[in-house]
Structures are given as structure tokens and as C-alpha cells.
Amino acid sequence: MRSHEDVVPEAVNWYVLLSSEHVTDAERQAWDRWMCESDMHRQAWEDIKRKLSIFEGIPSNLGVEVLSRPPSKVNRQRREAIKTLGLLAAVLLPTGYVFKDALFGQFNYDYFTGVGERKNIALTDGTNLVLNTKTAVTIHSSRHTMMVQLHHGEVLVSTSKSHQKTQVLMIETGHGRILPLGTAFNVRRFDQFSRVSLFEGLLKLAPQQSGEHAFVHPQQEIDMHSNRVVFRRRLSVLSPSWQRGYLELDNMPLKYFAEEIERYRYGIIKCHRDIEQLMISGSFSVDDVDASLRSLAHTFPVRIQRYTRFLIMIMPLNK
């Protein structure tokens, strides 16, 4: 007979799946059926939410909110294939998530990366792209333009100084367009804005719903919303070190470190609210997240508690 401990990992993985921006209608319905199968499933789900509520505000009606989200606007034929195969893949833990990521990318994007993966792409105009973890782009090339559409994730862009330009390069993020003028820069797409960090050269930004534009100069960082741009006082990207496999931090709150490092590993990493503002510095591997967490616990007054391989919590030493 299955025990509560046997079911908790399933609840964790349903939480991870439902938290994904790519969750499908079929997966929401499958979660609902799983919840209705037994009281043990419902108890495990509530147990996970209760543990996570220690770290951040998790609404009590999380499942209802997820189930009520409007479906994404994708091609119906591709969507049906993704729903059918993705539902089967999601229950194959942990490899199901890898398969689902690859399946979704194959149907929708020109280039994509899975969790913890990086990929170099050389465009025909001499531009080089480095895709970070969980990133997807589509390339639209015409006689006069080379358009890189960033659907989600993060990309480091380096334009060629020697290549003869016959096309205008543009980066489209959904919040607006970026026109690089001989540059090296980083673009990361969030839900409400796109964060652009410039290392060299010059950028011209054009928000989607604004007739105005802004110029970005080296060592500047800007959040581009659909209707405005906001220059950031404190840079979140000191260097594009993630392309070499590590995060370079300088006085980053522990809460944000947990959010950053979580991107490179399957599952959930949360920080206890009592130590959210603990400032940390150093270099941490994104290729070996477990080693980074061990280094964190060795260097700072925290401990790492693992509930399952998919749920890790950063705790104060005295908790």
C-alpha cells in the first residue's frame, strides 16, 4: 500500500508542472483527476502548499487559479499534439520534463534549450546568439531584416563588427523591439517586461505600445515594458558569466539567488522568509546546482533541506 511519503513527490511535481508558463489544458485536467483519485493525493497537495507558504505567499486556491487560466494562443493542430504527448511525458519523472521541453520546442521554435542547457547559434549576418536555460527563439529572415523573436528565457547577443551588413538586426521580445548598433548585450524576458543589459556598443529600444524610443549605453540596464522603459539603478547582470557556466554575484539578496539558481535545475528551490535579505557574493556553478548549494551552506549561515529531489529549501541554521 502506498504511503503519504510515496505521494508527496507526485504532489511536488504537479506543483512544478502547474507553475510552468507552458502548462496545457490537458495537464490541468489531469491534475484535477489526480486530486480526485484519493484523499491521500489531496493531503499531499495541501502538505506541499503548507510547506511552501513558509517561504512565500502561496494562494490557498492555487489549483483553482491554475485551472481557470485562459488557454495560450497557439496553432490548434500543434497544440493538440503537445497536449496529448505532453500529458504522457509529464508523468515520466524525472525524464518527463526533459521530453516535454524538447517536444514543445520542436513544434514551436527554431532554437530552444531545456533546463540547465546552453546553446550557441550563429546567424547568417554574423550575429552570434547564446541561449541560456529554458530559452526559445524564432528567426525571421528577409532581404532587409534579420528578426530574432525571443519567446521566453534569456539570450546573449553579439553582433559582428567585420561582417558586411545587408540586413538590419532586430530583437523582438513581445514588449518591444531592440535595435543593436554594433553591440554585445543580454536580453531576458519576464512576464511583464524584458530586461536588457548592455556591455558594449549602443542599443535603440522601441516599446511596443509607445511612439517613443530610448538609447542604452554601455554598462546600463533597462527594463522595457510594453508602454515605457525604466532604467535600473542597480545592475542585476555584472557580466554574461552564465555563458561560461556560473553566476557572478555581488551582494545579491538570498531570495533572488534562490530564484536565479532554480532556473538551472528541475524542481523548486525556496528561501525561508527569515533569511530572504541575507546578502551573498561569489561565483556559483549553474552546471552543478547541488554543488552550488553545498558551497552556499559552507560559506553562509544557512542549511539546505531536501524534501524530495524536486523540492529544496534554504533554511536558517536555527530552524
Side-chain angles (χ1 to χ4, degrees), residues 10-291:
E10 295 180 17
V12 170
N13 285 283
W14 278 118
Y15 178 89
V16 174
L17 182 64
L18 293 177
S19 299
S20 168
E21 60 183 310
H22 302 308
V23 62
T24 67
D25 290 342
E27 289 162 341
R28 297 185 187 104
Q29 293 165 8
W31 168 81
D32 193 32
R33 290 193 296 271
W34 179 83
M35 286 284 285
C36 294
E37 283 177 359
S38 72
D39 290 337
M40 187 177 295
H41 289 180
R42 290 189 290 272
Q43 291 169 2
W45 178 260
E46 293 302 323
D47 186 38
I48 291 301
K49 288 203 298 178
R50 184 168 57 255
K51 286 184 171 67
L52 289 171
S53 68
I54 299 173
F55 299 85
E56 64 176 343
I58 304 294
S60 60
N61 62 336
L62 172 65
V64 176
E65 290 185 352
V66 170
L67 289 171
S68 64
R69 289 177 186 167
S72 57
K73 297 179 180 179
V74 297
N75 178 274
R76 180 176 296 276
Q77 184 178 7
R78 292 183 299 175
R79 181 187 176 89
E80 290 304 319
I82 292 168
K83 285 197 297 184
T84 302
L85 296 177
L87 177 59
L88 295 174
V91 299
L92 302 176
L93 303 173
T95 57
Y97 289 112
V98 179
F99 178 73
K100 182 174 180 291
D101 284 347
L103 178 68
F104 194 91
Q106 179 181 351
F107 274 92
N108 288 270
Y109 312 123
D110 290 332
Y111 303 101
F112 61 93
T113 55
V115 174
E117 183 184 5
R118 296 185 299 278
K119 184 177 294 185
N120 283 275
I121 308 296
L123 303 184
T124 56
D125 70 342
T127 299
N128 187 72
L129 308 178
V130 185
L131 276 58
N132 201 359
T133 178
K134 295 191 292 186
T135 297
V137 298
T138 301
I139 310 299
H140 305 277
S141 181
S142 68
R143 181 178 178 182
H144 299 293
T145 62
M146 175 72 74
M147 174 75 76
V148 178
Q149 186 176 3
L150 177 61
H151 298 278
H152 59 81
E154 183 173 22
V155 61
L156 176 66
V157 184
S158 300
T159 60
S160 173
K161 297 180 175 63
S162 58
H163 198 282
Q164 183 177 0
K165 296 292 184 180
T166 58
Q167 296 171 300
V168 176
L169 175 67
M170 289 182 287
I171 313 297
E172 166 64 51
T173 71
H175 302 109
R177 292 185 175 181
I178 304 166
L179 178 65
L181 306 171
T183 60
F185 61 101
N186 196 82
V187 184
R188 181 173 172 185
R189 180 168 175 171
F190 294 84
D191 288 340
Q192 302 300 321
F193 60 88
S194 297
R195 180 162 296 161
V196 183
S197 309
L198 179 61
F199 306 117
E200 62 178 60
L202 183 67
L203 293 176
K204 179 180 178 181
L205 273 60
Q208 189 178 57
Q209 300 175 9
S210 173
E212 301 181 355
H213 60 260
F215 287 96
V216 186
H217 297 274
Q219 304 308 309
Q220 287 186 328
E221 188 169 76
I222 190 171
D223 288 345
M224 179 172 64
H225 299 254
S226 296
N227 58 357
R228 70 188 191 281
V229 296
V230 179
F231 283 88
R232 292 172 54 82
R233 294 183 179 180
R234 179 178 177 82
L235 300 184
S236 64
V237 179
L238 300 178
S239 71
S241 59
W242 57 260
Q243 70 169 320
R244 298 187 295 275
Y246 64 91
L247 293 179
E248 186 178 88
L249 308 181
D250 181 18
N251 282 329
M252 173 178 280
L254 187 57
K255 175 182 179 181
Y256 298 127
F257 165 78
E259 293 174 356
E260 285 296 308
I261 205 73
E262 182 187 67
R263 300 166 60 204
Y264 300 91
R265 186 185 191 278
Y266 284 101
I268 301 169
I269 301 176
K270 294 299 180 184
C271 175
H272 193 282
R273 64 166 66 97
D274 289 353
I275 52 174
E276 284 182 350
Q277 299 306 313
L278 176 65
M279 308 301 286
I280 65 171
S281 299
S283 296
F284 297 87
S285 171
V286 299
D287 294 328
D288 191 341
V289 174
D290 290 338

